[in-house]
Amino acid sequence: MAAAPPDTTYEYQIGCIELDNDERLVRFKSFVFHLNFTHTRTLIDHQETRIPHDPLVSATYQEELVVPCHEFFSLPNVMAREMIFRMGVVSPDTAAYLASQLAAFAAEMAKELAGSMTIDVFLDINAVTPYDDQEEMDRALRESAEIRAVTATKSSIEALKEVNIESILGVQDRQHQCSICLEEFSFDHNIGDDRAQKLAKMPCSHVYHKNCIEEWLKTSHMCPLCRYAMPTIDRP
């Protein structure tokens, strides 16, 4: 049997369901156990941002069991514990406690509803396990840093196609600024900085200031916008 994560907590509710016009036919006076189990995972907020996070539902279980009362009361705690394990509770201590609660409630209902042939009892259990995605985030950041550290080849940088500002005029969804320096592309030919006017186009068609993208590709081989990968090994 799998061990429960140490921080898992269990919330439960036991009650009786009263059904109108119950036409179920049973040979013996019976319990009808309505079992519902949900396992949810909640994100640990290390930064204490108090931003609500939707819990992740990782497992659910629903079942309806009909058990003759005389069979249940022959070994009430054992039968109740087996039902709880079947639902998905993996902590022996928790299962034993819930079994005692279920058995005690069933005995109480059997006395209170002595004239009924069927006694509907529901047991809802919600297991809540906190999970920590900080390690996963750190791993992703490390991998991202490793990828970014791979530079593009000198020949691929030198092979970038130089374009002028007029070539991107009228193009739908064209870029209005260099996504590296975040400065607008200038349409003024009299600004006095000839180097700033030079644009270069990546093979993926994204356009940047020529000097910006050349410096970028010396530290990363990927397009800043779409992560298009430039060559990293010079071919002979």
Side-chain angles (χ1 to χ4, degrees):
M1 181 179 297
D7 295 327
T8 297
T9 58
Y10 292 89
E11 304 165 350
Y12 76 96
Q13 187 175 9
I14 302 174
C16 187
I17 304 174
E18 295 184 10
L19 300 177
D20 295 331
N21 301 321
D22 187 2
E23 298 180 354
R24 289 172 297 184
L25 298 177
V26 291
R27 185 176 179 182
F28 302 103
K29 183 180 178 71
S30 302
F31 286 112
V32 181
F33 291 102
H34 303 264
L35 308 176
N36 298 283
F37 174 81
T38 304
H39 188 187
T40 58
R41 302 172 66 220
T42 57
L43 178 65
I44 297 174
D45 188 357
H46 287 281
Q47 304 299 324
E48 297 183 354
T49 58
R50 302 184 185 277
I51 298 175
H53 299 280
D54 293 332
L56 302 176
V57 178
S58 59
T60 58
Y61 172 92
Q62 288 185 322
E63 189 173 14
E64 185 177 293
L65 295 178
V66 179
V67 182
C69 292
H70 67 276
E71 288 186 14
F72 181 80
F73 286 126
S74 64
L75 292 169
N77 285 340
V78 173
M79 295 196 69
R81 187 169 64 249
E82 287 303 314
M83 282 192 288
I84 290 166
F85 278 139
R86 181 170 175 167
M87 293 173 70
V89 175
V90 295
S91 167
D93 291 340
T94 301
Y97 173 76
L98 292 175
S100 66
Q101 297 297 305
L102 180 60
F105 183 81
E108 181 182 342
M109 289 299 99
K111 293 179 181 178
E112 185 174 326
L113 302 175
S116 301
M117 284 297 291
T118 56
I119 302 173
D120 289 81
V121 175
F122 71 83
L123 172 60
D124 296 338
I125 301 175
N126 182 29
V128 181
T129 303
Y131 74 96
D132 187 353
D133 69 344
Q134 189 64 47
E135 182 177 346
E136 185 68 18
M137 291 176 63
D138 291 343
R139 182 189 62 78
L141 288 173
R142 287 195 302 270
E143 291 181 354
S144 177
E146 291 172 0
I147 291 174
R148 192 181 188 281
V150 179
T151 65
T153 62
K154 181 179 178 181
S155 58
S156 66
I157 296 175
E158 293 174 348
L160 288 177
K161 182 180 180 180
E162 188 172 323
V163 296
N164 56 42
I165 196 70
E166 286 80 6
S167 66
I168 61 173
L169 286 173
V171 178
Q172 187 177 9
D173 297 327
R174 65 176 175 81
Q175 294 171 245
H176 294 275
Q177 67 177 13
C178 173
S179 298
I180 298 174
C181 67
L182 301 182
E183 292 184 2
E184 297 282 336
F185 293 142
S186 175
F187 292 83
D188 186 356
H189 292 278
N190 299 315
I191 62 172
D193 186 353
D194 183 63
R195 192 179 182 208
Q197 292 295 305
K198 292 181 180 179
L199 307 179
K201 184 164 69 172
M202 291 274 288
C204 57
S205 296
H206 287 124
V207 177
Y208 305 92
H209 288 131
K210 189 172 187 294
N211 60 312
C212 290
I213 191 60
E214 287 178 347
E215 292 302 315
W216 176 274
L217 292 175
K218 292 176 183 178
T219 60
S220 170
H221 68 292
M222 290 187 171
C223 172
L225 284 175
C226 69
R227 298 179 65 81
Y228 173 88
M230 295 283 282
T232 57
I233 299 177
D234 274 311
R235 295 182 178 179

